[in-house]
Amino acid sequence: MPADGPGEQVLAGSVPLTREFFDRPGHEVAPDLLGRVIVHGPVSVRLTEVEAYGTPGEDPASHTYRGRTPRNAVMFGPPGHLYVYFTYGMHYCANIVCLPEGVGSGVLLRAGEVVAGAEVARARRTAGASRTVTARDLARGPARLAVALGFTRQDDGLDVCPPGPVNVLRGDPPGEGEIRSGPRTGVSSARETPWRFWVDGDSTVSPYRAHVPRRR
DNA sequence: CATTTGATGTACT
DNA sequence: GTACATCAAATGG
């Protein structure tokens, strides 16, 4: 396979993260994911924004808060797997499961910069619509990122560690001083928990939106 | 730029 | 019935 862009150069020789990396609480894993590159087939995305979700009974904002359901079952499995869920009746979002089997914690992949396979990503993002998408917006937002990387319901449970079909590489880590944290986006409970992490000043970070109750 | 609204699966009250 | 880890199009300034 030929090199596909500048990102491929950066990644040459990079060692994928192994399962131990994810066998920690999500809020410890999350900042360490910034600047890493998630690879799924032809598309690679450098992560610039993530959110941690806590354990059952502890974090009311987590899908696992009230226990296991068919949708969130993968979150209760071993670390280092994808949890892909369907939301708002039309969007997919992707997490990486953290902590050991039976616990149920993860990190939502909120935004990133497409560093390889931009043409494939753009084709996915514009499929069936007469619309253009800038490089900046290809993976800016959790549902957009899932489309760019080709994640759907079928990818729920995929192994993110070698020799799985998805890997996370070293990439270009931000300095400590470039990492910011704050409240999670669009979350109505646990607003005080600063488990959203992003790369300060990166244009691919999604706009922060506080939760707003909808009127009807 | 900002605000509003429609799209509608899944989990829950 | 309501809320939701969202997005894109339409509308107003």
Side-chain angles (χ1 to χ4, degrees):
Chain A
M1 183 151 50
D4 196 12
E8 299 287 340
Q9 300 295 331
V10 172
L11 301 178
S14 182
V15 178
L17 301 182
T18 54
R19 206 165 309 287
E20 296 75 51
F21 179 91
F22 299 104
D23 198 1
R24 297 182 282 154
H27 64 276
E28 293 182 17
V29 172
D32 287 351
L33 280 173
L34 295 176
R36 308 264 182 182
V37 176
I38 183 166
V39 181
H40 182 221
V43 177
S44 299
V45 171
R46 175 177 173 265
L47 298 171
T48 59
E49 181 188 353
V50 296
E51 277 176 4
Y53 285 87
T55 52
E58 285 186 345
D59 179 9
S62 174
H63 284 182
T64 64
Y65 181 59
R66 296 174 190 84
R68 184 173 180 142
T69 66
R71 181 172 72 158
N72 68 21
V74 168
M75 284 279 275
F76 289 84
H81 290 257
L82 275 190
Y83 164 50
V84 181
Y85 68 91
F86 189 59
T87 191
Y88 287 100
M90 67 195 76
H91 297 304
Y92 294 99
C93 297
N95 297 245
I96 300 178
V97 176
C98 297
L99 290 176
E101 179 149 20
V103 181
S105 169
V107 175
L108 172 69
L109 309 179
R110 283 201 56 90
E113 170 193 7
V114 174
V115 293
E119 294 190 2
V120 172
R122 179 170 282 106
R124 288 169 173 162
R125 289 271 290 113
T126 57
S130 57
R131 141 171 58 94
T132 61
V133 178
T134 62
R136 179 197 195 204
D137 284 343
L138 282 175
R140 189 179 189 230
R144 293 163 166 185
L145 179 147
V147 171
L149 281 168
F151 292 146
T152 68
R153 193 190 301 285
Q154 302 180 55
D155 301 293
D156 188 36
L158 279 191
D159 196 347
V160 166
C161 304
V166 179
N167 286 118
V168 184
L169 309 181
R170 185 174 311 283
D172 182 19
E176 289 281 324
E178 286 190 283
I179 296 178
R180 294 287 179 276
S181 64
R184 291 171 293 186
T185 302
V187 165
S188 60
S189 58
R191 284 181 178 77
E192 329 74 40
T193 307
W195 282 357
R196 174 181 182 243
F197 301 88
W198 68 94
V199 178
D200 190 35
D202 194 296
S203 67
T204 63
V205 172
S206 71
Y208 174 76
R209 305 192 198 298
H211 173 79
V212 183
R214 39 176 73 200
R215 310 158 306 274
R216 221 342 106 91

